[in-house]
């Protein structure tokens, strides 16, 4: 050395001729114990410089910044299997340092997930939102066959297909009633029972319904009978006085005209 002592790494005298980059009489924040400059990634552990490990680069146990691998430390270590590390959950990174993906079975509320069961389940939709009929997402696991975000011409509010006769009123599909079939107030086509609508409804006491008077059906939806008190000109009746038919001054028994 320049002080005429034998060269020895750690003697406090840097001897560049001997290949020493520094000599701080041992490990320091800037100098390794082998008298090389302290540098993360030089494969020499220097705890004084704040290194907890130094494997000469990224390894499964050591990050590139010479700190021990830990998911959540803000340093992505792909060798350790981390896809990302945002120091915790973020919109793109899960808390387990995997990429945030709906369906990965890891709940990430920051990414807008309210659930994540790894796919569709009885409580979770495929878009990682809670199951709710009317949310616009079909969930077959809970029995939904359709979900249009509410009532539509093809889907009832209970997420079943709109079918006349299913006992669910769907006005968007043109139903005015749905009693699960014909009733005294509702026709089989899910319209209100009205004599003259062209739909025979026996529960409403209709015997026929030709959407008005016809040769076979009176306007009151009963069969044409001469003597029923209802004149049906389409059936050829000129008059009909009911029980008085055949009496002088009233209609003939064949409803052909008034008797003298």
């Amino acid at each position: 050395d320049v002080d005429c002592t034998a060269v020895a790494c750690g003697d406090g005298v840097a001897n560049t001729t001997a290949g020493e980059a520094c000599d701080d009489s041992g490990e320091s924040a800037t100098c390794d114990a082998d008298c090389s400059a302290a540098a993360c990634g030089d494969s020499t552990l220097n705890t004084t410089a704040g290194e907890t490990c130094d494997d000469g680069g990224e390894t499964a146990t050591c990050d590139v910044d010479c700190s021990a691998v830990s998911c959540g430390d803000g340093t992505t270590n792909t060798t350790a299997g981390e896809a990302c590390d945002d120091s915790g959950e973020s919109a793109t990174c899960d808390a387990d340092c995997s990429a945030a993906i709906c369906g990965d079975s890891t709940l990430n509320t920051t990414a807008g997930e309210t659930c994540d069961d790894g796919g569709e389940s009885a409580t979770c939709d495929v878009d990682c939102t809670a199951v709710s009929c009317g949310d616009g997402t079909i969930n077959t696991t809970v029995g939904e066959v359709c979900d249009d975000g509410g009532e539509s011409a093809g889907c009832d509010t209970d997420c079943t297909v709109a079918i006349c006769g299913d006992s669910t009123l769907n006005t968007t599909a043109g139903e005015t009633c749905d009693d699960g079939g014909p009733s005294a107030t509702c026709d089989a086509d899910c319209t209100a029972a009205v004599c003259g609508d062209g739909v025979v409804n026996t529960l409403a006491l209709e015997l026929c319904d030709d959407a008005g008077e016809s040769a076979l059906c009176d306007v009151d939806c009963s069969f044409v009978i001469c003597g029923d008190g209802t004149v049906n000109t389409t059936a050829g009746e000129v008059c009909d006085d009911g029980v008085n038919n055949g009496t002088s001054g009233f209609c003939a028994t064949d409803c052909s005209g008034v008797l003298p």
Side-chain angles (χ1 to χ4, degrees), residues 13-259:
V13 178
N15 189 311
T16 56
T17 306
E20 295 179 352
C22 56
D23 193 323
D24 291 343
S25 300
E27 179 185 278
S28 71
T30 57
C31 194
D32 285 339
D34 62 0
C35 294
S36 61
C40 173
D42 60 9
S43 298
T44 300
L45 176 63
N46 188 315
T47 57
T48 309
E51 296 177 356
T52 54
C53 57
D54 194 324
D55 293 341
E58 179 184 280
T59 67
T61 57
C62 193
D63 283 338
V64 291
D65 62 359
C66 295
S67 60
V69 175
S70 175
C71 175
D73 60 11
T75 301
T76 303
N77 188 309
T78 56
T79 308
E82 296 179 352
C84 55
D85 193 323
D86 291 343
S87 300
E89 179 184 278
S90 72
T92 56
C93 194
D94 284 339
D96 62 359
C97 294
S98 60
I101 301 172
C102 173
D104 60 8
S105 298
T106 300
L107 176 62
N108 188 313
T109 56
T110 308
E113 298 177 355
T114 54
C115 57
D116 194 323
D117 292 341
E120 180 183 277
S121 72
T123 56
C124 195
D125 282 338
V126 291
D127 62 358
C128 295
T129 58
V131 175
S132 176
C133 174
D135 60 12
T137 301
I138 298 174
N139 189 307
T140 56
T141 307
V142 294
E144 296 179 354
V145 292
C146 58
D147 193 323
D148 291 341
E151 181 183 277
S152 71
C155 194
D156 285 339
T157 53
D158 62 359
C159 294
T160 58
V161 175
I163 300 173
C164 173
D166 60 9
S167 298
T168 300
L169 176 62
N170 189 311
T171 57
T172 308
E175 298 176 355
T176 54
C177 58
D178 194 324
D179 293 341
S183 70
T185 57
C186 193
D187 284 339
D189 63 358
C190 293
T191 58
V194 178
C195 174
D197 60 11
V199 178
V200 178
N201 189 315
T202 57
L203 295 176
L205 304 180
E206 295 178 358
L207 300 177
C208 57
D209 195 322
D210 291 341
E213 180 184 278
S214 72
L216 298 175
C217 195
D218 284 338
V219 292
D220 62 359
C221 294
S222 61
F223 290 123
V224 176
I225 301 173
C226 177
D228 60 10
T230 301
V231 178
N232 189 311
T233 57
T234 306
E237 294 181 352
V238 175
C239 56
D240 193 326
D241 292 326
V243 295
N244 291 319
N245 281 0
T247 305
S248 179
F250 294 95
C251 195
T253 54
D254 61 2
C255 294
S256 59
V258 177
L259 295 175

